[in-house]
Amino acid sequence: MTLAGTPLAVAVGIFVTSTLITTAIAPWVMQLGLRHGFTDAPDARKQHSVPMVRLGGIAMVLGFCLALGLTWLLGGFGMLTPARDQLIWTTLAGSLCFFVIGLADDLLSLSPWPRLAGQVAVAVVVWSQGVQIGAIDLPWLSSSAEAVILPDVISLLATVIWLVGITNAINWLDGLDGLAAGVAGIAAIGLVSVSFSLHQVAAAFLAASLAGCCLGFLRHNFNPARIFMGDGGSYFLGFSLAAISIVGPAKGLTTVSLLLPLLILSLPLADMSAVIMGRLRSGRSPFYPDRRHLHHRLLRAGFSHRRTVLLIYVFTQWLASIAMVVANVEMRFLWLALATAILVGTVMVMQRHRHSDIVIDAPEQESQQECAQSCCSDSRG
């Protein structure tokens, strides 16, 4: 049996397959984690109040890999050149290695430096196999139309920083139910559209599978979550997004295409950069755990758990729509207008609800204060 159809039809099939597999496997992983005690205990920095299974990344990895494997068995990769086909398997192998590093941390609680060393080592191997930022077009520095080929040392450094940086940005974003999976899923959908516009079919297939496993996992991870992805899942998502952006948009070898994934993923990258700078200014390690992240700030500003997550979702989809405009995606301005309307409408509705919550809570707080004062006066009498 051979899978026939256009690349878009194959991508849709990959997305649906990945979604269904991840949705079906997640409950099994949940039972496995509960049976063996692989849970995440609550503490002062975390939002959950009861132990939660932290092996959800297993379901996402299986959904991602099985969807791509089935597509390959059915001949869906037949439209790709051998070089493009190889990049898919290299990306898949790298994502599995990053998942193993994160899973080891979930099970053994590794310190940050061994994890970072493992990430760098895998990124170097992946670079050597062709997943690399190898050239860039700088039209304002050169009148020639040819891209500037980066020296191996610069290419290696840029690739490792990109892969490791995006991975840890997504990992640090995983602080609220459904946040990392939703943002990664939206970013993956944006990469699907951008990759097709740049005729990078291999990257589009990878991004479609990643978007599907994120959607399937959200069925069990959105607030109130029943399972967490753990570091294994967040490392897998982060590396996959970073590698797909190199395999796809950055392979266009133009300044614009190199900036597309940076634009789509700018929110988690900006959050990570701000957190690191804040910790360094405080004289602490960049890995010191605290509550400086964007989602922590929104919670302190009075937004609820779900509203915080949804607000970050809509801002991410707006950034993805801007990347689609830059990439000249079909109907790009329609998508931008729709994304802008969603963003503005969401902010206005949330502000109205937040104001209503403050007005409602104020009398209750006053009543509690009066009651406390009355109790104190009675006790003194």
Side-chain angles (χ1 to χ4, degrees):
M1 181 179 178
T2 301
L3 187 64
T6 64
L8 179 59
V10 175
V12 171
I14 292 174
F15 172 80
V16 173
T17 303
S18 180
T19 301
L20 295 176
I21 292 175
T22 305
T23 303
I25 291 177
W28 172 78
V29 175
M30 202 182 315
Q31 294 175 4
L32 178 68
L34 290 173
R35 185 179 304 120
H36 296 282
F38 298 133
T39 56
D40 185 27
D43 61 31
R45 291 184 58 253
K46 299 173 182 177
Q47 302 300 316
H48 60 286
S49 57
V50 297
M52 298 285 292
V53 174
R54 60 175 184 266
L55 301 180
I58 295 175
M60 290 192 293
V61 169
L62 289 176
F64 180 76
C65 295
L66 291 176
L68 292 173
L70 288 173
T71 303
W72 175 74
L73 288 174
L74 296 176
F77 292 172
M79 61 189 70
L80 303 178
T81 63
R84 297 278 104 182
D85 197 351
Q86 177 62 36
L87 287 178
I88 286 183
W89 301 119
T90 301
T91 301
L92 185 61
S95 66
L96 289 175
C97 290
F98 267 72
F99 167 71
V100 170
I101 295 172
L103 183 62
D105 181 46
D106 290 328
L107 300 178
L108 305 175
S109 298
L110 303 176
S111 65
W113 296 111
R115 283 181 278 155
L116 183 61
Q119 292 172 11
V120 171
V122 174
V124 170
V125 174
V126 168
W127 173 86
S128 69
Q129 297 301 310
V131 179
Q132 54 187 239
I133 301 173
I136 185 172
D137 179 17
L138 301 174
W140 56 84
L141 296 180
S142 175
S143 58
S144 65
E146 296 183 358
V148 177
I149 305 300
L150 299 178
D152 286 346
V153 174
I154 302 300
S155 173
L156 175 61
L157 183 62
T159 303
V160 169
I161 291 175
W162 178 254
L163 293 176
V164 174
I166 293 293
T167 297
N168 286 282
I170 297 298
N171 175 249
W172 288 7
L173 193 66
D174 186 27
L176 297 179
D177 296 351
L179 183 56
V183 169
I186 294 169
I189 292 174
L191 286 174
V192 171
S193 179
V194 169
S195 296
F196 271 127
S197 71
L198 297 174
H199 309 291
Q200 301 290 345
V201 178
F205 287 173
L206 288 165
S209 186
L210 191 67
C213 73
C214 288
L215 178 60
F217 186 67
L218 272 176
R219 171 70 177 77
H220 307 280
N221 183 241
F222 194 74
N223 181 260
R226 297 187 296 277
I227 186 172
F228 290 163
M229 67 175 65
D231 284 347
S234 60
Y235 282 7
F236 160 74
L237 288 182
F239 174 84
S240 298
L241 284 172
I244 291 168
S245 66
I246 292 177
V247 171
K251 281 292 181 181
L253 302 181
T254 65
T255 305
V256 172
S257 62
L258 189 63
L259 292 176
L260 292 176
L262 184 63
L263 181 59
I264 295 174
L265 299 169
S266 58
L267 184 61
L269 286 173
D271 179 54
M272 182 181 70
S273 300
V275 169
I276 290 176
M277 293 303 298
R279 291 172 180 173
L280 291 177
R281 282 197 300 267
S282 300
R284 300 186 182 276
S285 165
F287 303 106
Y288 178 79
D290 53 29
R291 297 178 65 86
R292 297 175 183 264
H293 292 287
L294 174 62
H295 51 272
H296 291 140
R297 298 176 187 273
L298 290 174
L299 289 172
R300 287 195 295 271
F303 289 96
S304 68
H305 189 126
R306 285 194 174 191
R307 290 174 190 170
T308 296
V309 172
L310 290 175
L311 184 60
I312 296 176
Y313 281 0
V314 296
F315 194 75
T316 302
Q317 60 90 34
W318 181 72
L319 291 171
S321 70
I322 294 179
M324 292 166 66
V325 171
V326 176
N328 291 320
V329 174
E330 188 176 354
M331 298 190 300
R332 54 194 177 277
F333 292 109
L334 175 61
W335 295 120
L336 176 60
L338 180 60
T340 303
I342 292 174
L343 175 61
V344 173
T346 301
V347 171
M348 292 177 62
V349 170
M350 287 188 177
Q351 281 293 95
R352 187 180 300 115
H353 281 290
R354 179 167 166 264
H355 178 71
S356 300
D357 291 343
I358 294 174
V359 171
I360 292 173
D361 290 343
E364 295 180 357
Q365 293 175 357
E366 292 177 359
S367 176
Q368 292 173 357
Q369 292 175 357
E370 291 175 359
C371 179
Q373 293 173 358
S374 175
C375 291
C376 290
S377 61
D378 290 344
S379 62
R380 286 194 300 268

